Amino acid sequence: MDIRLDAISHSYGDTEVLRDISLDIPNGKIVCLVGPSGCGKSTLLRLIGGLERPSKGRVLQLGSPPEGCLNTLTYVFQDFALLPWRSVQGNISLVLEDHGIKGAQADAIITDVLARTKLSDFSKALPRQLSGGMKQRVAIARALAVKPAVMLMDEPLSALDSQTRELLMDDLVALWTRQSFTAAYVTHNLAEAVRLGHRIVVLSRRPGEIREIVEIDMPLADRSHGNAKLEQVQKHLWDMMRDEARAADEELLDV
Amino acid sequence: MSEATLPSQPIEVRFRGGGFAPKARRWVGLFVFVLLIGITEIGTRQGWISSLTLPKPSDVLATFGELWESGLLFKHLIPSLSRLAVGATLGASIGIVVGIMIGLFSYVRAGMVPLVAAIFPIPKIALLPLFVIWFGIDEASKYALIAFGTFTPTVVATYGAVDNVDRSLIRMGQSFGLSWLSIVRKIVLPGAMPGILSGLRISLAIAIILLVAAEMLGAEYGIGAYILEAGSLYDLERLFAGVVILSLLGVILSTVIGFIERRILGWRA
Ligand SMILES: Nc1ncnc2c1ncn2[C@@H]1O[C@H](COP(=O)(O)OP(=O)(O)OP(=O)(O)O)[C@@H](O)[C@H]1O
Ligand SMILES: [Mg+2]
């Protein structure tokens, strides 16, 4: 299933946040959204997932979600959003219970997603007993459990230290390689964007407009750390972002 | 660099962390009680506390023994406990329900919050005559007084607790397509539980205070009636025996809540 953004604009009161965004998120691809702070990336993700209504334009689903999909558009949040009173297992069963999936059927799904995120030994642990990287893996496992058509990830690795981030990026690449998923992935980290993105959308400062869309056709599995071609793309992205970020910074000073 | 700034001796960094993390210190509470009672006992025996100021703790204990043997203890205790149970359960459960509704629905909030603020500061004891007219002199007016007194603090604690539930968790629930009822049951209620329970501690103490107040006005049996009778005769031993029962009741209720907290709020670490 593809997602199409059709001329999306959004304002909060008098503040125009997004302007005329048209974009396709093709099936089985990871689309990274990068842009300076405050340009409306998180807002765009909330619009895509239906947590907010755009002021103008529409978000369209093209085609039907895959079979067995319980929650078409599924978020992975920056702050994990795990229920502290439920164990790892309980946090995952939370999103299955409402679809009437209980008992053995639920156990099978939970065992599967925990194995895929390498958490099998921690199914009984409470969130407070887990490290940040593990918490985010639980959140990813929870998202996988509902077999989403599209994953909406808002800076999923930003709350983690750089080593954990590297490891989790490898995990995401491995997950995608085993079974490709569709994702809109917001980040401010360009290394993450060139590592995970099939398509990188650069937004301008507020009001966010699409400045450029960069396609990287190198397979995810081949994108090693320090790859020359990726470095080049990353530098190109940074050159573009730097001007925007600087301008955004100066705008704030003027206020 | 001048001589003065050269460190002559290494100085160990002063420890300034720690604290602000209450731990279970089981026996300290008991020790404080024993110490205070011990001092009173010695003081009254040696005469530097006059018997008009405080009764001898051992005499209070003896009175307690008599109460037990004559069977009067349960004659007073059982009606009191049932009044407390009915009144407090009624008040606390209605309070929790109303508090949650205030937390969830804007119209209920707009309508109820000013009302609760208006009835909170009324000394409920002052309304007892009114309750007697409404519900009769029997048990019903006592239940109503206790329920009413427990209701307001429970409401305030509950809606505060609901307001404090992490909104990002609710947003998460919505994003996974959970039904409204599931979000309330599985996210809002457990998230509000710590606040509700600590509110209950206060509400239940207030319930005990009102129990005694209700029993002082027209009750044949009950701890309040017993204390009132002892007081009017200036029988300090019996007065204190009654007061000790109330304190014990308070300690027991607080222990029970502590136990529930440890059971269902274990996730807080
Ligand atoms: N609910 C809201 N009400 C009013 N203004 C909002 C709201 N949410 C976001 N904004 C404003 O919209 C703009 C874009 O916010 P958004 O969070 O989408 O940016 P972002 O690109 O995700 O930034 P960051 O990189 O810091 O996460 C900001 O200026 C912000 O102040
Ligand atoms: Mg953001």
Side-chain angles (χ1 to χ4, degrees), chain B residues 24-46:
Chain B
R25 294 265 190 267
R26 215 166 271 253
W27 303 110
V28 179
L30 193 65
F31 176 75
V32 172
F33 274 112
V34 171
L35 187 74
L36 286 179
I37 294 170
I39 290 174
T40 320
E41 181 72 33
I42 295 168
T44 43
R45 271 177 200 272
Q46 293 184 345

Side-chain angles (χ1 to χ4, degrees), chain B residues 36-65 234-241 244:
Chain B
L36 286 179
I37 294 170
I39 290 174
T40 320
E41 181 72 33
I42 295 168
T44 43
R45 271 177 200 272
Q46 293 184 345
W48 42 271
I49 299 177
S50 97
S51 57
L52 280 178
T53 339
L54 279 178
K56 231 189 270 175
S58 52
D59 286 348
V60 174
L61 193 69
T63 316
F64 210 81
Y234 279 88
D235 187 340
L236 288 191
E237 282 85 22
R238 287 173 63 195
L239 181 86
F240 267 78
V244 167

Side-chain angles (χ1 to χ4, degrees), chain A residues 34-36 188 190 202 237-246:
Chain A
V34 299
H188 60 252
L190 299 178
V202 184
L237 290 173
W238 172 232
D239 286 342
M240 224 177 332
M241 288 264 295
R242 189 168 42 200
D243 303 340
E244 292 293 341
R246 190 175 291 144

Side-chain angles (χ1 to χ4, degrees), chain A residues 71 74 84-85 95 97-98 128, chain B residues 175-176 179 182 186 190 266-267:
Chain A
N71 191 49
T74 298
W85 50 87
V95 299
E97 287 159 12
D98 262 45
R128 72 176 153 83
Chain B
S175 81
F176 276 95
S179 67
S182 285
K186 295 170 186 172
W267 53 269

Side-chain angles (χ1 to χ4, degrees), chain B residues 140-227:
Chain B
S141 60
K142 299 182 180 63
Y143 296 156
L145 181 76
I146 297 170
F148 199 45
T150 344
F151 170 76
T152 33
T154 312
V155 171
V156 173
T158 306
Y159 83 73
V162 174
D163 287 351
N164 272 329
V165 174
D166 190 349
R167 296 294 121 167
S168 69
L169 293 180
I170 296 177
R171 211 63 74 225
M172 180 276 293
Q174 290 177 324
S175 81
F176 276 95
L178 266 59
S179 67
W180 182 87
L181 201 66
S182 285
I183 291 178
V184 172
R185 259 183 44 223
K186 295 170 186 172
I187 300 179
V188 176
L189 281 188
M193 213 30 111
I196 294 178
L197 283 180
S198 67
L200 269 189
R201 275 180 195 277
I202 297 171
S203 313
L204 292 184
I206 292 177
I208 297 179
I209 297 175
L210 289 174
L211 165 74
V212 176
E215 289 178 343
M216 283 181 164
L217 279 160
E220 195 181 346
Y221 291 108
I223 311 292
Y226 178 78
I227 293 178

